[in-house]
Amino acid sequence: MSWCCAHFPNMPSAQTVAALPTYYLSHGGGPWPWMETGNAYDVLDASLKALRNELKERPRAVLVVTAHWEEPVFTFSSGAQPGMIYDYYNFPPHTYEITYPAPGLPSLAEQAAALLADGGVASATDATRGFDHGTFSLMQAIWPEAQMPIVQMSIRADYDPAAHVEAGRLLAPLREEGVVIIGSGLSFHNLRALGPVGRDVSKAFDGWLQESLIGMNGENRVKRLLEWEHAPAARAVHPREDHLMPLHVALGAAEEETAALSYHEDAFMGAIAASSFRFGPPPT
C-alpha cells in the first residue's frame, strides 16, 4: 500500500491526482507575523494569504525546504509534534515565547528520505528537529490555525546547486500525493546591504531571476540556476547562498513546469527588490 493511500484513505490514487505546484517563497525577517511592523510586510502577507486561496482544497501536508537548517546530507524532520527553534537575535522578548503548534508527519519524512536514498542521494531523518523561523513565520502567515502537517527538509551544507535540483527531482512524486513543496528563503539575503545600499544590486539580480525562471523552461532554466553565480550582482545579493538553495529544490521538483510570480515588490524593507515564484499551475 502506498504512503498516500495508507495515510489518506479517501484520497484517489496518485495516478489520478493532479500534481500540486511548488513554490519558492520569501519568509521575511525574523518572527514578523508576531510583531508590530507597520505596513512593511503588507505585500508579502497578502501574497501568502493569496497562496492559500489558490490551493483551494487543503493539501494533505507541506514539505518546507528551509534555508535555516543545514546538514551534511539532506535531512527531514520526523517528530510528530515539533518544538520551536528561535533562530534570531535582538528581537522583542515575547518573540522567544511564541508557538506554532502544527503537527509533524513522520511517515512523510520517512518517505521523502527514502525517495532520495532510492535515487542515490544520501538522506537522513531527525526526530528532534523543531520548527525554525524559516518555517513557522511563513506558515503562520499562510495557515495561522497551525493545523497543517509539516515536514521540514534541510538544505545541504555544501550548497551544491546541482545536488539541490536533483533532490527536488526525486521528491517530485510527492506532488501527486497531496504534498505542497515550499522552498523557504529570500531572493535577496545580504543583511549588511539592507536599505538603500542594496537597491541597485537587488534589482539587477531580481531582474535576472525573473528572466531565468519565467522567461525560460526546462534545461535552459536549470542551467541558468546551476550557474547562478554568473548572474548580475550575484555575490552582492547572496554572500552565502543558503537562502537561494531552497529555490533549486522547488525548481527541480517542477522542472518542466511554467513559472509565475507569486510575490514581488521593489521596496521590501524600504529599498530591496524581492520576489517569490510558483512552479506549475494552481489547482483548478
Side-chain angles (χ1 to χ4, degrees):
M1 182 177 289
S2 73
W3 171 86
C4 164
C5 297
H7 293 273
F8 308 120
N10 296 321
M11 187 176 179
S13 65
Q15 289 78 11
T16 62
V17 177
L20 291 174
T22 72
Y23 295 87
Y24 172 62
L25 302 178
S26 167
H27 59 239
W32 62 271
W34 288 270
M35 297 173 59
E36 296 293 333
T37 58
N39 62 358
Y41 285 93
D42 285 356
V43 178
L44 177 60
D45 187 55
S47 75
L48 296 174
K49 288 178 169 57
L51 182 156
R52 177 171 178 167
N53 290 336
E54 79 179 14
L55 287 174
K56 301 182 186 300
E57 295 294 329
R58 185 168 73 88
R60 296 325 198 244
V62 176
L63 177 65
V64 177
V65 187
T66 171
H68 287 272
W69 185 18
E70 301 179 18
E71 295 289 350
V73 301
F74 294 113
T75 305
F76 299 88
S77 62
S78 58
Q81 198 65 56
M84 301 286 285
I85 298 175
Y86 304 114
D87 54 342
Y88 39 80
Y89 305 95
N90 298 320
F91 281 81
H94 78 272
T95 65
Y96 298 90
E97 298 177 359
I98 60 178
T99 60
Y100 188 76
L105 190 56
S107 58
L108 174 56
E110 295 291 342
Q111 186 194 16
L115 285 171
L116 295 194
D118 289 348
V121 176
S123 62
T125 59
D126 183 347
T128 67
R129 178 73 185 186
F131 294 141
D132 59 58
H133 89 262
T135 297
F136 62 72
S137 291
L138 190 71
M139 295 297 290
Q140 172 69 16
I142 304 173
W143 279 287
E145 306 90 344
Q147 91 287 21
M148 176 66 66
I150 300 169
V151 169
Q152 293 179 127
M153 175 182 171
S154 77
I155 59 172
R156 211 167 76 176
D158 62 2
Y159 300 153
D160 179 353
H164 287 78
V165 171
E166 181 62 17
R169 290 174 179 140
L170 295 172
L171 293 169
L174 298 176
R175 298 175 55 210
E176 296 180 343
E177 299 189 14
V179 177
V180 176
I181 299 174
I182 294 177
S184 173
L186 190 59
S187 59
F188 176 95
H189 196 253
N190 183 348
L191 300 183
R192 296 183 178 181
L194 286 174
V197 68
R199 179 182 287 112
D200 290 344
V201 294
S202 71
K203 288 183 178 180
F205 185 80
D206 194 82
W208 174 88
L209 196 59
Q210 291 193 41
E211 177 186 285
S212 300
L213 297 179
I214 299 174
M216 298 182 177
N217 282 316
E219 292 182 5
N220 290 332
R221 183 170 61 181
V222 170
K223 184 176 187 294
R224 294 267 286 206
L225 266 291
L226 294 181
E227 299 173 354
W228 73 271
E229 288 182 276
H230 298 299
R235 281 298 178 187
V237 171
H238 289 284
R240 296 174 69 248
E241 53 266 46
D242 49 330
H243 278 62
L244 193 62
M245 287 300 102
L247 166 61
H248 290 68
V249 180
L251 174 60
E255 187 171 2
E256 300 300 327
E257 306 274 7
T258 57
L261 273 176
S262 63
Y263 155 77
H264 174 77
E265 56 183 312
D266 284 322
F268 177 64
M269 304 298 287
I272 300 302
S275 295
S276 297
F277 299 88
R278 184 190 72 235
F279 301 98
T284 57

